[in-house]
Amino acid sequence: MLPNRHPGLRIVALAAFALLLAAGEAQAYIGPGAGFAVGTTLVAFFAAFLSGLAAIFLWPLRWTIRFIRGRRALARARVKRFVILGLDGMEPTLADKYMAEGKMPNLRKLAETGTYSRLATTAPPLSPVAWSTFLTGCNPGKHNIFDFLTRDKRTYMPLLSSVSIRGASRVWKIGRYKIPIGKPDIRLLRKGKPFWNTLGAHGIFSNVIRVPITFPPESFRGVLLSAMCVPDLRGSQGTFSYYSTRASVEEDYIGGEQIRVAREGNRIRSHLVGPPNELVDNGGAMRCPFEITVTGQGRATLDICGERISLTKGNYTPWVTVEFKAGPGIKIKGICEFLLIDTEPEFDLYVTPIQIHPDKPAMPISHPSVYSMYLSKKQGLYATLGLAEDTWGLNAKILDDEGFLHQCLEADSERERMFFDALDKVSRGLCVCVFDGTDRIQHMFWRYIDPEHPAHTGQAGRQHRKAIEELYVRMDDLVGRTMKACERNDTVLMVISDHGFNSFRRGIDWNVWLEQNGYLTLLPDGRGKKYLGGVDWSKTKAFCLGLAGIWLNVKGREAQGIVDPSDADRLRDELCEKLTGLRDGEKKEIAVHRAFNAHKIYHGPYTVDAPDIILGYNRGYRVSWEAAIGQSTDRVFHDNAKAWSGDHCIDPSLVPGVLFCNRKIDSPQPRLMDIGPTVLDMFGVEIPAVMDGRPLTVAEAPGFSKNGKGRIARRGVIKADAITSG
């Protein structure tokens, strides 16, 4: 057994074993939705195996070098280990309430013995923006993430803001087959350096689990599993499938699709839809056939990929490995779960988005690549999709509350095992893990706690009306177990959220408002078209796309821009003045708390890529579902009757996050961007000048003092165990 103080070597050894188990058949390296770069498991195996052997044989030399560098860093450090537990979206007013009611004793203990404070978030307070600021210590103008989406300046179509995936630039054609030359171009669009990269440059190891906007993973001294924006196997951000004998209720489910099936006696035959087969001319989407046999009321068997699985109404299967054949000897593997919804009188089956297989990843989802395999071999298959909890399935009423909660609890349970494995392995360095359940459950269950929400009616007697309270109790228990694992007084523990939460009762269609106020013109048949397809660009000065704000149609920047660049800042200020304090006449409420000129609140080289106006909504308001995808309706304000009833896309002053720490912090008004610089400072690492955050003043641990050389000492003794190697 390798000692815990050398987790990197342990992971290499276990990963080598994982690779030996994985080597079996040819497999493609796939860039979902963007073509293939063909390789083989055999080639990948030998490359990884040789790399693993080299790592093992070179380990003594590498360990010696890192030990020396680590000792130098440790000489200036005031802490051995720093642990950050991220609870995405934890709302401070709810934390206050449940602590006061005695339902969160562990967080209350942290507050009483250490620190509890509001934590200033970003503008806008969206998860990709906020976590990018957390990991870089910079304002969005320096890290280039302003929203989930951005716009294509040429076509005005929406694009994912954080990652670009393109196929190989060259293709070798052999008959009907197309063999890409080289790998797909998978590019992280977030700029700036994560603070754990800076730690690594000073010999300090980090274990980073599911922090958003870390896909594709970057190389650094540590291990990392990517999170938000990891696509499914089809290249989307999560496409569920609904198989039913019913006629389609909706032609276009957002985030999913219905596949109508026919019943032949007690059998149903259909297929899973995979990624497009770019290896073949006009290959279309690959398919994985399956057969269902109904064996009784609410019972069936599933035959897929040579495996027979029992289905019971209302119960998910475990993760199932599925494969798609791209060509002779080339298979792409994924994982999904099946949920039998009903067998009589109609047949209904739900299938989660097909996710990248962690043991045979078709795209890089971890650093090093063997880390995802290590986790899979250690704890079994787990969700890899960036947004693994299917909010769209619940919005479409294909999933019920119970079906959605299962996914949330399962994802948190999987992550918990990863987190405590990291705490066990890393005795020196940084551990960071972000849990999504707080965000997803509040998004979908806020309707239960807001009596004024349009979706609240009829919820009083529902089984899961206390889902949010139960969530906070569970997270408090997680915190308690984390505190126990961090009892050493050379460990700093922080529990943080990137933003808070509030109700989302009313949506605002900004494209209608802009139209009514002379800033946007629709084509004669343009109303109702998605992705700004109905806009007359020759007469449009401003438009809305995404969650964050409004864009100007600037000449020379957008393909059909008409706003002179010299007039752009005046127009931004004009819109900010008109939008700040905008009222919802029907509800007699202020809908917009503040509107920000992005060029005045951001600074840095990427400010030019931000939406021109960042909208800070009042509580209860957000951009409408239609405006977010560039679809104009017939009115400005809309009731939101969806299950997605809570949100945080409002003014940052109204949704701060939380900061708990097991030590006293003597810094007024801490900010999310201050956490990274604080970690660097505690490890004695110089803070890069590019960072906008500043280190918080964290108290020394009781019993610790600094000797004349600045080295951490306790009772005059310094432990000489090595910096955790990786």
Side-chain angles (χ1 to χ4, degrees):
M1 179 71 69
L2 294 169
N4 282 351
R5 64 177 178 271
H6 304 313
L9 184 56
R10 255 183 128 176
I11 288 170
V12 168
L14 286 168
F17 175 67
L19 283 167
L20 284 168
L21 293 180
E25 73 248 3
Q27 185 180 349
Y29 187 92
I30 172 180
F36 302 94
V38 178
T40 68
T41 300
L42 190 62
V43 173
F45 164 71
F46 277 116
F49 181 70
L50 291 173
S51 176
L53 283 179
I56 291 172
F57 286 116
L58 292 175
W59 174 78
L61 176 62
R62 294 171 61 202
W63 183 89
T64 302
I65 294 170
R66 288 173 176 175
F67 177 78
I68 294 169
R69 293 175 69 193
R71 293 282 288 181
R72 289 173 180 167
L74 188 61
R76 299 184 297 274
R78 309 200 312 276
V79 64
K80 277 188 181 178
R81 186 170 63 158
F82 207 113
V83 177
I84 301 174
L85 172 55
L87 302 177
D88 195 307
M90 177 169 272
E91 165 56 35
T93 60
L94 290 182
D96 292 345
K97 169 181 164 62
Y98 296 136
M99 283 192 292
E101 293 173 355
K103 294 169 182 171
M104 299 177 69
N106 296 303
L107 282 171
R108 183 169 182 172
K109 181 179 179 181
L110 266 186
E112 291 172 349
T113 60
T115 295
Y116 170 44
S117 173
R118 269 40 174 181
L119 187 65
T121 184
T122 52
L126 294 171
S127 293
V129 186
W131 288 115
S132 295
T133 287
F134 158 77
L135 63 89
T136 62
C138 297
N139 85 94
K142 292 180 181 177
H143 63 59
N144 195 40
I145 302 296
F146 306 97
D147 195 341
F148 283 96
L149 300 175
T150 185
R151 85 290 185 222
D152 187 317
K153 297 173 186 176
R154 299 163 301 164
T155 66
Y156 299 88
M157 288 287 287
L159 296 172
L160 198 61
S161 66
S162 64
V163 64
S164 169
I165 303 175
R166 294 194 178 109
S169 58
R170 295 166 56 208
V171 175
W172 181 28
K173 293 199 70 173
I174 305 176
R176 59 190 294 261
Y177 291 101
K178 300 183 295 182
I179 310 299
I181 308 300
K183 293 181 178 180
D185 179 15
I186 306 172
R187 189 171 302 173
L188 178 64
L189 301 180
R190 191 213 72 231
K191 308 299 182 181
K193 182 188 291 186
F195 66 86
W196 45 79
N197 287 33
T198 304
L199 286 177
H202 289 78
I204 298 168
F205 182 87
S206 298
N207 193 316
V208 181
I209 298 169
R210 298 289 285 184
V211 175
I213 316 304
T214 53
F215 173 80
E218 300 165 282
S219 178
F220 74 109
R221 178 155 155 44
V223 294
L224 177 146
L225 182 66
S226 296
M228 181 179 286
C229 294
V230 173
D232 63 16
L233 205 60
R234 296 171 66 173
S236 78
Q237 289 298 295
T239 301
F240 69 82
S241 297
Y242 170 50
Y243 298 84
S244 181
T245 52
R246 306 170 193 270
S248 179
V249 178
E250 293 187 35
E251 290 185 6
D252 184 18
Y253 285 108
I254 298 176
E257 61 190 359
Q258 178 176 340
I259 298 173
R260 194 169 186 188
V261 295
R263 196 163 180 162
E264 302 169 8
N266 64 344
R267 293 177 184 245
I268 295 106
R269 293 182 177 88
S270 192
H271 59 270
L272 301 178
V273 180
N277 190 349
E278 301 289 348
L279 291 178
V280 181
D281 278 331
N282 303 313
M286 289 181 279
R287 294 183 172 191
C288 174
F290 66 82
E291 183 175 300
I292 304 281
T293 303
V294 177
T295 57
Q297 183 75 34
R299 299 192 312 277
T301 59
L302 165 68
D303 288 285
I304 188 168
C305 297
E307 186 176 2
R308 175 162 290 181
I309 301 160
S310 295
L311 302 178
T312 305
K313 179 179 176 179
N315 294 323
Y316 282 85
T317 65
W319 289 109
V320 176
T321 295
V322 297
E323 57 188 31
F324 300 89
K325 296 181 180 180
I330 300 173
K331 298 176 183 177
I332 298 97
K333 293 202 172 188
I335 60 170
C336 60
E337 292 183 333
F338 295 79
L339 174 65
L340 182 62
I341 299 173
D342 217 338
T343 56
E344 305 293 343
E346 302 281 358
F347 174 83
D348 298 291
L349 177 75
Y350 163 86
V351 183
T352 65
I354 302 169
Q355 305 184 26
I356 293 170
H357 198 300
D359 211 21
K360 301 173 178 63
M363 298 181 73
I365 59 173
S366 69
H367 170 77
S369 59
V370 295
Y371 184 52
S372 68
M373 304 177 199
Y374 160 76
L375 292 171
S376 177
K377 293 304 177 188
K378 185 172 181 63
Q379 68 180 56
L381 297 175
Y382 55 86
T384 59
L385 182 63
L387 301 169
E389 305 88 346
D390 189 359
T391 56
W392 292 116
L394 182 55
N395 263 349
K397 299 181 180 178
I398 291 170
L399 289 178
D400 58 13
D401 289 352
E402 185 72 28
F404 175 73
L405 274 174
H406 167 90
Q407 295 185 9
C408 297
L409 296 175
E410 182 178 56
D412 278 356
S413 177
E414 292 168 351
R415 202 155 310 175
E416 194 175 295
R417 292 194 292 275
M418 299 173 189
F419 179 45
F420 283 100
D421 180 63
L423 292 178
D424 178 57
K425 299 292 189 302
V426 180
S427 61
R428 291 190 175 187
L430 171 71
C431 283
V432 187
C433 184
V434 175
F435 285 76
D436 295 333
T438 33
D439 180 83
R440 309 298 189 266
I441 290 174
Q442 289 184 111
H443 271 306
M444 307 309 289
F445 289 86
W446 203 273
R447 56 198 153 100
Y448 286 107
I449 65 172
D450 179 10
E452 297 181 35
H453 196 280
H456 180 78
T457 303
Q459 307 291 343
R462 298 289 291 275
Q463 178 183 355
H464 296 291
R465 65 188 183 280
K466 292 189 175 181
I468 290 178
E469 179 182 317
E470 292 164 355
L471 161 73
Y472 276 68
V473 171
R474 280 197 307 276
M475 292 301 101
D476 184 74
D477 178 69
L478 171 64
V479 169
R481 286 179 284 122
T482 305
M483 290 167 64
K484 190 163 289 188
C486 298
E487 286 179 334
R488 296 169 10 189
N489 68 349
D490 59 8
T491 296
V492 171
L493 168 63
M494 281 187 176
V495 181
I496 66 171
S497 65
D498 54 330
H499 51 69
F501 242 90
N502 215 275
S503 190
F504 167 28
R505 301 172 190 147
R506 299 270 279 175
I508 305 177
D509 187 338
W510 288 114
N511 289 317
V512 172
W513 186 91
L514 291 167
E515 180 187 14
Q516 291 178 353
N517 288 270
Y519 297 100
L520 179 145
T521 300
L522 291 177
L523 296 167
D525 61 346
R527 196 167 307 282
K529 289 188 176 179
K530 295 179 181 179
Y531 312 126
L532 302 168
V535 174
D536 183 345
W537 297 110
S538 68
K539 301 175 183 176
T540 291
K541 295 180 179 180
F543 60 95
C544 175
L545 184 72
L547 299 175
I550 291 171
W551 307 82
L552 300 187
N553 192 25
V554 179
K555 189 185 300 182
R557 189 182 74 176
E558 276 72 23
Q560 301 179 59
I562 65 170
V563 175
D564 193 289
S566 63
D567 195 41
D569 210 50
R570 181 203 63 77
L571 185 54
R572 292 185 195 102
D573 287 340
E574 177 184 308
L575 282 166
C576 286
E577 184 177 350
K578 289 184 177 181
L579 295 173
T580 297
L582 181 72
R583 297 186 68 85
D584 176 357
E586 185 179 339
K587 297 294 182 181
K588 298 181 172 52
E589 294 175 345
I590 292 176
V592 179
H593 189 69
R594 284 181 297 179
F596 304 92
N597 181 335
H599 288 241
K600 293 182 178 178
I601 63 169
Y602 301 144
H603 56 93
Y606 305 107
T607 299
V608 294
D609 295 321
D612 294 274
I613 310 297
I614 302 297
L615 292 159
Y617 297 90
N618 196 10
R619 295 181 180 92
Y621 289 86
R622 200 205 73 173
V623 64
S624 70
W625 296 105
E626 295 83 4
I629 59 171
Q631 180 181 21
S632 292
T633 63
D634 57 357
R635 62 189 189 280
V636 175
F637 291 97
H638 297 256
D639 274 347
N640 171 38
K642 292 185 181 293
W644 185 300
S645 48
D647 219 297
H648 43 83
C649 185
I650 62 178
D651 190 278
S653 67
L654 303 178
V655 279
V658 299
L659 167 63
F660 291 87
C661 186
N662 63 350
R663 296 193 188 179
K664 298 290 185 184
I665 295 177
D666 186 22
S667 298
Q669 300 178 325
R671 303 168 299 174
L672 187 62
M673 68 170 58
D674 296 331
I675 304 299
T678 301
V679 176
L680 295 177
D681 181 63
M682 293 297 292
F683 278 112
V685 173
E686 185 177 352
I687 297 164
V690 71
M691 283 188 165
D692 299 312
R694 294 293 175 262
L696 304 173
T697 305
V698 181
E700 301 295 335
F704 272 76
S705 61
K706 283 190 173 183
N707 63 17
K709 296 181 180 179
R711 186 173 294 175
I712 296 177
R714 184 182 182 190
R715 299 177 184 172
V717 177
I718 302 172
K719 289 190 71 176
D721 52 326
I723 285 287
T724 303
S725 55

